[in-house]
Amino acid sequence: MTLTRETSIGYLSNWAARLFTRAIERRLAPAGIATAYLPVLFALGDGTAMTQKALAQRAAVEQPTMAATLKRMERDGLVQRRPDPADRRSALVALTPLASGQLDRVQTVVQQINAMAMANLQPAEQQALLTHLLQVIAALEADEAAAQK
């Protein structure tokens, strides 16, 4: 089989991700929510506060990317840092009331885009797609972990 964009899972996954990003961005940008903020909003959306390092791990984002994202989110009034009571050298990152007030909107938009993307699939196919994507992610994460050893 000749590898083309239609037969490359990596290419197709990336293409789909870009389309998801643009669809979500069109709906959230007017509220000042960049799609780059979504991993942070998802990770802190339950009201927890955590260190930048823990947040980067939970959001599966590289540390330099997380630092830049948090800097922009602080500028936009969406996150705040406060001293970590367990380690005064460290800071905990938490959502501000402004960001917390946007969580319902973010959740609604993301659910709408996911529903639109899955609309042509039967419920069993939707579940299979999610299961298979998680399996692909697990395989790639295992490869990454092995490469870091």
Side-chain angles (χ1 to χ4, degrees):
M1 167 174 61
T2 302
L3 190 61
T4 66
R5 73 182 195 166
E6 289 81 12
T7 61
S8 169
I9 186 67
Y11 187 92
L12 291 172
S13 297
N14 186 277
W15 188 4
R18 289 191 319 258
L19 291 170
F20 268 103
T21 298
R22 290 197 302 254
I24 291 169
E25 198 163 77
R26 283 192 303 275
R27 290 157 178 85
L28 290 180
I33 304 293
T35 54
Y37 299 171
L38 293 182
V40 174
L41 294 172
F42 290 152
L44 299 177
D46 63 359
T48 61
M50 61 184 69
T51 64
Q52 180 177 313
K53 181 179 180 181
L55 181 56
Q57 289 172 339
R58 185 170 184 186
V61 173
E62 295 292 327
Q63 188 77 290
T65 301
M66 181 58 68
T69 300
L70 291 176
K71 187 173 183 176
R72 289 191 311 273
M73 291 181 78
E74 278 184 295
R75 176 201 66 206
D76 294 346
L78 299 172
V79 295
Q80 59 190 0
R81 296 176 198 257
R82 61 178 188 259
D84 182 346
D87 180 0
R88 290 286 181 196
R89 297 169 297 156
S90 184
L92 296 177
V93 179
L95 296 181
T96 63
L98 176 63
S100 295
Q102 294 287 345
L103 290 176
D104 285 343
R105 180 182 184 147
V106 169
Q107 184 79 8
T108 298
V109 166
V110 171
Q111 286 173 341
Q112 288 171 346
I113 300 304
N114 278 296
M116 178 187 63
M118 301 280 252
N120 293 330
L121 301 176
Q122 296 299 316
E125 293 171 318
Q126 293 176 11
Q127 187 57 53
L129 177 58
L130 291 172
T131 298
H132 294 310
L133 283 173
L134 289 170
Q135 290 169 335
V136 167
I137 290 166
L140 293 170
E141 284 180 335
D143 176 71
E144 186 173 316
Q148 292 176 355
K149 288 184 180 179

